[in-house]
Amino acid sequence: MNGQYVLFFIVLLFISVFFVLLIKGFGRKVVMGYLVFIIVFQIVIVGWVVNEVYFIGKLIIVMVGGWKLLVGINFYIGYFVVFFVFIIVVISFFMVFFSFRVVIVELVDKYVMFFFLLMFGVMGMIVMGDFFNLFVFMEIILIIVYVFIVYNKIGEVVEVLMKYIVFGGIGLSFFFIGVVFIYGVIGIFNMVYFVQFVGVIDLIVVQVGFVLIIFGLVVEVELFLFNVWVLDVYQVVLYLIIVMFLVFVVKVGFYVIVRFFYIFQNVNGWSGVFKLVIIMVILIVVVVEFLVLRQKDVKRMIVYFLISQVGMIVFVFVFGIQVGVDVGVFYMVNYVIVKVFFFFMVGYVGVVFGGIIIENFQGFGKRMFLMVLIFIIGFFVVVGILFFNIFWSKVRIFFVGVEVGYFWSVVFIFGVSVVEVVYYFRLIYMIWFVEGGERVRENFVIGVIVIFFVVLIIVIGVYLNDVWIIV
Amino acid sequence: MILVYYFGVIVFVFIGFYGVFVKKNFMKIFISLSIMEIGVNFFLISVGYVLGKSVFILSEGIKWNQVVDLILQVFVFMVIVIGVVIIVMVFSVVILIYEKYGIFNVEEIRRLRG
């Protein structure tokens, strides 16, 4: 098949938005059915690409419209890209089914349109081979994020939106200034060409450009310490949209940041930036872990946990060694599974009990036995006391840190992560040993999805080596 | 000469920063963001500018090798369009807030959280 079919990654999602306008008159079920159809179609395309890249071993480079590299837009589909695209499409498939239950009172046609547009932006950012269009797709994602934050809400959400817009705007401006800095030196936007030139250019401008780009990206990937405003976003928006943000927006920002680390690692003066990043990551993990202690809101607590996990992933990736990449990718797979599992769970509890502050969880164990059992397994996974995936991931991170001679930083990170154990056990006490209300009937579909995730976590924990090889 | 442009860029970006972090009025904050964006666009054009060369509209007596960097000037159009989309969206939210609560002040909005 022609490599140009990869364009469907992007084009299909974009064109689908317009058809929603045509079919919305037929009712909610038709629109949701359409959403399922398009996502399944997307999975088929991704399946074909996975086959081409992983099994046949053919890397796909698409020159859009046949234009040459320096002028035209090009997509690069390698192993790493396919891996990310695959994760995003699979998670979006699950999210579609969750949407059936969650998006009831909201305007479903607008939800579907923005869902497509968000995926469009994410796919574009992943496959794009030049700096400028990366920026364009980043802008598109941010616009959709703004829309989703105020989706069918007004009031407290407004303040959160304003924060997001201000920080997003500043982050994007820095990113773009960084890109232009680099263009000023190299004279091209294409990343492949950039890698070829960057080793021979000894200019402070490239370093400044790199720092500005990374600054812009970490605002999007929600990594900086002053980026805790994002927690307010998670506090007010729909649960489903949180999952969407975490899976799509953070994930893709994270992907781009890793890609940039590898593009820029030949820049002179890289070691200084590298140390700065390591210190930043340690600070993030330390501060975030202590912030977990004073949380009363379970959702907020999990978000803090996830932020510290992103810190750990960046920690192994920036070493720039093969083992680091392997461990980082493995950890990321686990991270996606655990976080989606958590937000589905907490989201469901929030819908049933009307809140997710710690008091809402009183006697939860007796009210929804199955859910609680799964919830507790989730907590053990998070704490890393059972031999599940997070535990093994952390062990591997530890060894990578030791291998590259950063033993002190590894000890620091893992020493502090013990702090979170205190909070989780407090929550488990609340769930099991405090009396609650009447027993509640559990939802079958949500139960099946959550059990699927638990099984996945256990399988990864048990068949670790096989999963490691696949990843 | 080109340094003057870069100085202009810095001035625009810092005015924008000042507005975003100091002002309390929504409208002023977002106007400041727009000013910052103008600074970024200006930077883009400045980087592509070549001293003594013409704009990329080919007129009589001007050839392709006598014009400034085309790519950056074309990209500025794209950035402006995206910027306009964001500004329109933001201001529509601001108008909604004003219609519902009758306020523009950030601190008063914060009180809505209770």
Side-chain angles (χ1 to χ4, degrees):
Chain A
M1 277 168 89
N2 190 332
Q4 296 273 346
Y5 285 112
V6 175
L7 279 172
F8 271 118
F9 272 176
I10 295 174
V11 178
L12 177 70
L13 293 163
F14 193 55
I15 199 85
S16 305
V17 175
F18 298 102
F19 287 112
V20 175
L21 292 171
L22 295 177
I23 61 166
K24 72 176 186 181
F26 293 108
R28 183 177 180 276
K29 280 185 181 167
V30 175
V31 176
M32 287 307 251
Y34 178 68
L35 175 65
V36 175
F37 172 72
I38 295 295
I39 297 298
V40 170
F41 193 37
Q42 190 81 357
I43 287 174
V44 172
I45 300 166
V46 172
W48 168 71
V49 176
V50 168
N51 180 48
E52 290 279 308
V53 175
Y54 273 97
F55 298 107
I56 301 175
K58 186 174 121 192
L59 300 183
I60 303 169
I61 297 173
V62 183
M63 312 279 188
V64 179
W67 287 85
K68 286 182 181 172
L69 269 182
L70 291 180
V71 193
I73 299 169
N74 73 300
F75 299 155
Y76 170 77
I77 320 284
Y79 294 105
F80 206 38
V81 171
V82 173
F83 173 72
F84 264 90
V85 168
F86 181 72
I87 288 183
I88 284 171
V89 170
V90 170
I91 299 292
S92 68
F93 183 71
F94 284 111
M95 276 171 56
V96 166
F97 286 101
F98 204 67
S99 312
F100 277 105
R101 180 167 162 78
V102 177
V103 185
I104 297 167
V105 285
E106 287 83 4
L107 300 165
V108 72
D109 55 317
K110 291 197 173 51
Y111 170 80
V112 172
M113 282 165 70
F114 290 122
F115 187 91
F116 284 145
L117 280 175
L118 189 65
M119 279 193 75
F120 162 70
V122 169
M123 292 293 182
M125 240 177 124
I126 291 177
V127 299
M128 201 47 75
D130 67 280
F131 293 117
F132 182 77
N133 283 299
L134 196 75
F135 164 79
V136 172
F137 278 103
M138 216 163 132
E139 286 259 31
I140 291 168
I141 289 178
L142 276 184
I143 294 170
I144 307 303
V145 167
Y146 300 154
V147 173
F148 266 131
I149 290 174
V150 282
Y151 181 66
N152 265 20
K153 284 187 175 214
I154 194 98
E156 60 173 337
V157 77
V158 172
E159 189 212 340
V160 173
L161 173 72
M162 294 305 160
K163 279 185 194 170
Y164 211 116
I165 291 174
V166 169
F167 280 95
I170 293 171
L172 268 179
S173 297
F174 272 89
F175 179 84
F176 198 44
I177 291 174
V179 167
V180 178
F181 258 102
I182 287 164
Y183 181 87
V185 179
I186 311 271
I188 42 168
F189 281 116
N190 192 283
M191 291 182 200
V192 180
Y193 273 70
F194 176 77
V195 173
Q196 286 174 6
F197 286 119
V198 77
V200 291
I201 294 171
D202 183 17
L203 277 176
I204 190 82
V205 183
V206 178
Q207 290 166 25
V208 173
F210 173 66
V211 171
L212 288 170
I213 286 175
I214 293 299
F215 176 83
L217 281 173
V218 289
V219 171
E220 179 160 339
V221 83
E222 300 163 10
L223 197 65
F224 261 179
L225 283 181
F226 59 77
N227 210 15
V228 282
W229 50 269
V230 170
L231 294 172
D232 292 336
V233 177
Y234 295 144
Q235 195 78 16
V236 292
V237 300
L238 284 174
Y239 296 95
L240 187 68
I241 290 169
I242 295 173
V243 178
M244 215 182 277
F245 284 0
L246 280 171
V247 174
F248 295 158
V249 182
V250 176
K251 182 72 41 198
V252 75
F254 180 68
Y255 160 78
V256 174
I257 218 170
V258 170
R259 196 167 164 193
F260 273 55
F261 273 125
Y262 285 89
I263 289 173
F264 282 85
Q265 65 179 340
N266 291 327
V267 175
N268 290 305
W270 161 256
S271 61
V273 180
F274 170 74
K275 279 182 189 142
L276 191 76
V277 174
I278 295 284
I279 291 168
M280 196 178 81
V281 166
I282 292 171
L283 274 174
I284 290 160
V285 176
V286 170
V287 174
V288 166
E289 293 292 0
F290 278 102
L291 282 174
V292 171
L293 268 185
R294 54 185 287 274
Q295 293 313 309
K296 290 218 174 294
D297 187 312
V298 178
K299 189 162 66 167
R300 212 169 237 264
M301 184 192 80
I302 292 169
V303 172
Y304 274 119
F305 162 72
L306 295 173
I307 289 175
S308 76
Q309 302 305 301
V310 171
M312 287 195 189
I313 299 173
V314 174
F315 180 73
V316 282
F317 267 119
V318 294
F319 288 129
I321 57 171
Q322 185 58 45
V323 189
V325 179
D326 292 349
V327 173
V329 172
F330 182 68
Y331 198 90
M332 220 153 44
V333 173
N334 290 326
Y335 171 76
V336 171
I337 295 166
V338 169
K339 80 183 174 189
V340 174
F341 163 74
F342 259 116
F343 274 98
F344 277 154
M345 275 301 302
V346 176
Y348 184 61
V349 171
V351 170
V352 175
F353 296 141
I356 35 91
I357 55 169
I358 196 159
E359 280 74 23
N360 289 110
F361 284 79
Q362 280 184 2
F364 177 39
K366 284 154 194 153
R367 299 173 78 181
M368 297 171 84
F369 181 76
L370 177 70
M371 283 291 168
V372 170
L373 198 66
I374 300 165
F375 203 75
I376 299 294
I377 293 172
F379 271 118
F380 283 145
V381 170
V382 168
V383 180
I385 53 172
L386 289 185
F387 297 148
F388 289 137
N389 44 9
I390 289 285
F391 174 81
W392 292 114
S393 309
K394 282 185 175 176
V395 168
R396 283 169 193 261
I397 288 176
F398 185 84
F399 283 118
V400 169
V402 173
E403 194 179 319
V404 291
Y406 275 80
F407 183 71
W408 60 274
S409 53
V410 179
V411 170
F412 217 86
I413 286 178
F414 287 101
V416 173
S417 67
V418 174
V419 172
E420 69 192 43
V421 176
V422 177
Y423 188 88
Y424 295 130
F425 279 102
R426 202 171 96 204
L427 188 65
I428 288 175
Y429 171 80
M430 201 65 119
I431 289 172
W432 279 118
F433 302 104
V434 179
E435 283 300 313
E438 301 260 311
R439 194 173 159 78
V440 179
R441 196 165 167 271
E442 294 164 52
N443 183 286
F444 177 73
V445 179
I446 304 292
V448 170
I449 293 175
V450 175
I451 286 172
F452 169 78
F453 280 109
V454 173
V455 171
L456 207 58
I457 288 167
I458 294 171
V459 166
I460 293 175
V462 176
Y463 297 101
L464 185 76
N465 285 331
D466 299 324
V467 178
W468 178 263
I469 290 163
I470 293 169
V471 171
Chain B
M1 179 69 175
I2 293 177
L3 276 178
V4 176
Y5 298 143
Y6 290 139
F7 180 73
V9 171
I10 293 168
V11 169
F12 272 121
V13 171
F14 274 93
I15 290 174
F17 251 120
Y18 170 80
V20 167
F21 287 108
V22 174
K23 296 293 171 190
K24 302 282 179 209
N25 187 310
F26 269 152
M27 297 298 261
K28 288 180 183 170
I29 289 174
F30 292 119
I31 289 169
S32 305
L33 266 181
S34 297
I35 292 172
M36 208 155 82
E37 196 189 304
I38 290 170
V40 176
N41 289 340
F42 198 30
F43 183 49
L44 203 68
I45 296 170
S46 307
V47 168
Y49 178 67
V50 184
L51 203 62
K53 293 202 173 178
S54 167
V55 287
F56 69 89
I57 302 166
L58 293 177
S59 54
E60 206 171 323
I62 295 173
K63 292 178 182 161
W64 279 106
N65 57 359
Q66 291 170 318
V67 293
V68 296
D69 193 341
L70 312 179
I71 294 176
L72 288 179
Q73 299 213 354
V74 173
F75 283 170
V76 168
F77 283 114
M78 284 173 76
V79 177
I80 290 172
V81 170
I82 298 168
V84 168
V85 171
I86 292 182
I87 291 297
V88 166
M89 210 209 82
V90 166
F91 279 104
S92 62
V93 173
V94 172
I95 290 166
L96 272 177
I97 295 167
Y98 190 75
E99 281 178 356
K100 198 167 165 74
Y101 303 108
I103 45 174
F104 272 135
N105 193 302
V106 179
E107 291 190 344
E108 284 177 43
I109 292 277
R110 203 162 287 156
R111 263 181 244 132
L112 293 175
R113 303 183 75 183

